[in-house]
Amino acid sequence: MAEYDIAVIGGDRRTAFMIPFFQENGYRVISFGIQETDKENADGRAHSLKEALDGADVIVGGIPLEKEGVLEIRELSRLIRKKHTIFGGVIPESFRQECSERDILCCDFMLVESIAVFNAVATAEGAVLEALRHKDTNIHKSESLVIGYGRCGKILSDKLKGLSACVTVCSNSQTELAVADAYGLRTLPLEQLESRAGEFEYIYNTAPALLLTEKLLEKIREDALIIDIASGSGGVDYKAAERLNITALRCPGLPGKYAGRTSAKCLTDYVLRHL
């Protein structure tokens, strides 16, 4: 029998804050490679990934699951056994398929719609806070562009509108533009972005594709602020932005940065329901 019930591994403040929530529910927790907080106090701390996995049958990782220098998918694959149950976010499909073939339960937080929506809310709030922290002008009545109108784009646009920003939604989807228009937002087809990029003071990118290229960045006004919250490697040519002296912020993990405790409660509740 494993010495601990749950191994919490990697991640950010979200995973750190999950530890006391698990303990409050009577679970023994071992941790490895997590970002410490004033609330992080696991029952045990592993000195290696192997020690953590040997110590517990339930593995809870961060969003994303893979974290350089802490949890690499290749090593995780080598160490897991049939006894394990794995939770984490943005888990590579190939690894999930491997777990299925090995009869190992593997749950991706970001494939759960309720969690994904919750994450989008925290991301949107974090994006607004980043904008306020890095620019000395009001969001109120600002010309604000939101690129992409998926889950995050919709929530972010709504929150900016609530702050009385002049919000324009940019997308290559006619359906998304129609929905944005129905909610009283301005719209901009993606093919027209380059010709109108200079109109906006705040630019929020949610699209996981390199759309803000050097050619497009050359059209942006000098005092513009770019907040890139897209997944993966983002959507901005950062080297070009630096050369052009444009402020472009890559902002991954905003829920962990600004809403670690609340996000942790959401994730913990999901894990506990599935144990």
Side-chain angles (χ1 to χ4, degrees):
M1 181 179 294
E3 182 178 357
Y4 301 95
D5 302 304
I6 299 172
V8 177
I9 301 168
D12 52 27
R13 290 171 60 85
R14 286 171 286 190
T15 43
F17 276 115
M18 290 175 79
I19 291 174
F21 287 133
F22 285 133
Q23 291 171 320
E24 289 169 8
N25 284 275
Y27 291 92
R28 300 162 300 165
V29 181
I30 185 171
S31 67
F32 174 69
I34 68 169
Q35 180 177 328
E36 295 184 15
T37 72
D38 58 339
K39 294 296 184 182
E40 189 276 317
N41 187 22
D43 300 291
R45 292 193 183 186
H47 296 93
S48 68
L49 180 60
K50 183 180 187 305
E51 181 183 346
L53 300 190
D54 287 345
D57 294 343
V58 177
I59 305 165
V60 178
I63 304 173
L65 176 64
E66 189 166 32
K67 182 178 181 181
E68 185 176 355
V70 177
L71 197 161
E72 297 181 1
I73 292 296
R74 181 178 298 180
E75 184 181 11
L76 181 62
S77 175
R78 181 175 61 84
L79 294 173
I80 55 175
R81 301 291 180 263
K82 190 173 181 179
K83 67 172 185 173
H84 286 122
T85 298
I86 303 169
F87 296 89
V90 196
I91 302 175
E93 184 178 353
S94 58
F95 180 73
R96 288 189 284 110
Q97 179 62 34
E98 177 190 342
C99 288
S100 177
E101 293 170 356
R102 296 171 61 182
D103 292 325
I104 297 171
L105 182 61
C106 181
C107 303
D108 191 327
F109 291 135
M110 299 311 293
L111 296 180
V112 180
E113 184 64 19
S114 59
I115 293 178
V117 170
F118 185 96
N119 190 74
V121 170
T123 299
E125 290 185 359
V128 172
L129 183 52
E130 288 288 340
L132 291 170
R133 290 183 61 224
H134 290 92
K135 195 163 171 41
D136 56 359
T137 57
N138 289 335
I139 290 177
H140 178 80
K141 291 189 176 180
S142 66
E143 291 294 337
S144 297
L145 176 70
V146 177
I147 302 174
Y149 200 61
R151 194 184 289 113
C152 271
K154 289 176 182 176
I155 294 173
L156 175 58
S157 298
D158 182 68
K159 291 191 177 297
L160 291 170
K161 183 181 178 183
L163 290 170
S164 300
C166 302
V167 183
T168 298
V169 171
C170 178
S171 174
N172 62 356
S173 166
Q174 290 301 313
T175 299
E176 289 182 354
L177 294 177
V179 173
D181 179 71
Y183 280 98
L185 302 170
R186 302 173 182 177
T187 59
L188 176 65
L190 182 61
E191 62 266 22
Q192 296 179 22
L193 175 58
E194 185 178 328
S195 63
R196 292 184 53 191
E199 299 176 13
F200 304 101
E201 182 180 359
Y202 291 91
I203 298 175
Y204 303 85
N205 179 59
T206 73
L210 184 57
L211 299 179
L212 295 170
T213 61
E214 181 172 10
K215 184 178 180 182
L216 191 143
L217 291 171
E218 290 174 347
K219 309 291 185 181
I220 291 175
R221 50 194 276 187
E222 291 183 358
D223 66 338
L225 173 64
I226 300 172
I227 304 290
D228 188 5
I229 59 174
S231 58
S233 56
V236 180
D237 184 336
Y238 285 97
K239 291 183 179 179
E242 185 176 1
R243 287 195 301 271
L244 295 167
N245 200 31
I246 293 172
T247 303
L249 305 177
R250 178 83 182 99
C251 300
L254 290 176
K257 184 176 181 180
Y258 293 119
R261 191 192 307 273
T262 309
S263 297
K265 185 64 168 62
C266 174
L267 298 175
T268 302
D269 288 346
Y270 177 81
V271 172
L272 294 180
R273 288 197 303 270
H274 291 82
L275 291 183

